[in-house]
Amino acid sequence: SLISAERRSVQGVTAKHNRELANKARRLANHKRQLDEKDQELAEKSRQLAHKDSLISAERQSVQEKELLLSQNQARLREKDGVLADNKRRLDEKDQELAEKSRQLAHKDSLISAERQSVQEKELLLSQNQARLREKDGVLADNKRRLDEKDQELAEKSRQLARKDSLILAERRSVQEKELLLSQN
């Protein structure tokens, strides 16, 4: 019975050890699964870190390129500032020239205005002269018509005189013939 008690005790201890071993095996399996998951997470994080490193490297290269471009742009900006300063100086000169031209134009406008007034006065005189010329043309046309009428009258009188002259000549011849006949008788 002592042996039997020992066996039971050993069996109890063994069963307890087996339960503990089973628990530890479950915990170890659980730990192994967790470790595997952590390894996968670490591998994923490593891939992400490598990707981030390549992105950082690309960004650093881009930053260096941008810094080079910025340096070039700053040099070009200084050059443009010089050109702008020169352009501003030239613009100021052109403004002065424009102001002078504006003064000259204003003077020319006043001259043109005076010339226009003179032209208007001349046009008025021309208009008056043309009216007088038309009036004279009317008088001349009337005079020409009257002269034509007088010429016709003169031509008629000349024809009448020529007829009278031929009649007188005929009468004189007749008188001479009569005188000749009288003297012969």
Side-chain angles (χ1 to χ4, degrees), residues 71-164:
S71 171
Q72 292 169 347
N73 282 348
Q74 285 172 343
R76 285 168 57 197
L77 280 171
R78 284 189 295 274
E79 181 184 325
K80 298 287 182 192
D81 284 343
V83 172
L84 283 171
D86 185 53
N87 283 349
K88 184 182 182 317
R89 179 189 55 76
R90 289 168 60 199
L91 281 170
D92 289 343
E93 290 172 0
K94 297 291 180 190
D95 283 343
Q96 290 173 359
E97 286 179 31
L98 282 169
E100 177 58 27
K101 296 289 182 193
S102 293
R103 282 190 293 276
Q104 290 176 4
L105 282 169
H107 177 65
K108 298 287 182 187
D109 283 343
S110 65
L111 289 176
I112 287 169
S113 177
E115 290 296 324
R116 281 189 179 149
Q117 186 176 353
S118 175
V119 164
Q120 287 172 348
E121 291 168 1
K122 301 289 185 204
E123 284 175 347
L124 179 61
L125 287 173
L126 275 171
S127 173
Q128 292 169 348
N129 284 347
Q130 285 173 343
R132 291 205 324 251
L133 280 171
R134 282 191 298 274
E135 183 183 319
K136 301 277 186 198
D137 285 343
V139 170
L140 284 171
D142 187 53
N143 286 347
K144 184 180 183 312
R145 180 187 52 76
R146 287 169 52 203
L147 281 170
D148 288 345
E149 289 173 359
K150 298 290 183 189
D151 284 344
Q152 288 173 2
E153 285 179 28
L154 282 170
E156 180 59 30
K157 297 287 183 190
S158 293
R159 280 191 299 275
Q160 289 175 4
L161 279 171
R163 277 197 308 271
K164 298 281 184 185

Side-chain angles (χ1 to χ4, degrees), residues 5-61:
E6 281 289 323
R7 271 191 192 151
R8 280 196 301 273
S9 173
V10 167
Q11 284 175 349
V13 168
T14 302
K16 182 181 175 188
H17 282 174
N18 283 341
R19 280 193 305 277
E20 286 177 5
L21 280 171
N23 281 340
K24 286 187 179 179
R26 276 194 306 277
R27 286 195 345 238
L28 279 171
N30 191 24
H31 284 170
K32 184 178 183 318
R33 182 182 54 75
Q34 288 177 354
L35 281 170
D36 288 344
E37 289 173 358
K38 297 291 181 190
D39 284 343
Q40 288 175 355
E41 284 181 30
L42 280 170
E44 177 60 27
K45 296 290 181 192
S46 293
R47 281 192 297 277
Q48 290 176 359
L49 280 171
H51 179 63
K52 297 287 182 188
D53 283 343
S54 69
L55 287 176
I56 287 168
S57 175
E59 288 298 319
R60 281 186 180 146
Q61 185 177 352

